[in-house]
Amino acid sequence: QVQLVESGGGSVQAGGSLRLSCAASGRYIRINNMAWYRQAPATQREFVALIEYDGVTNYQDSVKGRFTISTNDAKNTVYLQMNSLDVGDTAVYSCRINYVATQGWTTNAWGQGTQVTVSS
């Protein structure tokens, strides 16, 4: 089973930057992809960015050019560099890891969420 620990959230003024981290630990065969989602108050959780094991990335249109998803060399930690933040980026950000468990099936693990607050 995989456990995720997130860090890096906080408060920033519009135009500022934050970097989120999500570290995976535990036993697994392989991580297939790693992603970030966010949920603002009274809204549905939405996809933000994803990185495949081979490094291919995908972003929500509203964050393209501002956010960058990446991993460490061991590919067990995922980062989200967020630049040019605006008030609309305020949300709880959660990482999601899709992995192959030791039992052989593919499943997801979610982080606990970290608050990002952008003020004008």
Side-chain angles (χ1 to χ4, degrees), residues 9 29 37 71 78 104-105 109:
I29 294 175
Y37 288 75
T71 65
V78 61
W105 56 67

Side-chain angles (χ1 to χ4, degrees), residues 15-95:
S17 298
L18 284 173
R19 189 191 196 206
L20 306 182
S21 299
C22 174
S25 63
R27 298 185 64 189
Y28 54 90
I29 294 175
R30 194 184 82 152
I31 290 177
N32 294 322
N33 58 67
M34 310 171 88
W36 288 96
Y37 288 75
R38 67 186 181 186
Q39 186 170 19
T43 68
Q44 301 264 20
R45 183 167 61 194
E46 64 177 7
F47 167 79
V48 176
L50 176 144
I51 185 165
E52 298 284 358
Y53 185 81
D54 61 3
V56 174
T57 59
N58 189 27
Y59 295 92
Q60 182 197 114
D61 285 346
S62 70
V63 307
K64 285 180 181 177
R66 300 189 298 124
F67 291 10
T68 302
I69 189 170
S70 62
T71 65
N72 62 348
D73 289 344
K75 298 187 179 181
N76 57 13
T77 300
V78 61
Y79 305 100
L80 186 68
Q81 177 67 44
M82 304 184 293
N83 299 328
S84 301
L85 284 161
D86 62 43
V87 174
D89 295 316
T90 296
V92 174
Y93 285 70
S94 300
C95 62

Side-chain angles (χ1 to χ4, degrees), residues 101-117:
T102 55
Q103 298 90 339
W105 56 67
T106 298
T107 187
N108 292 311
W110 287 87
Q112 78 279 12
T114 185
Q115 178 69 45
V116 171
T117 302

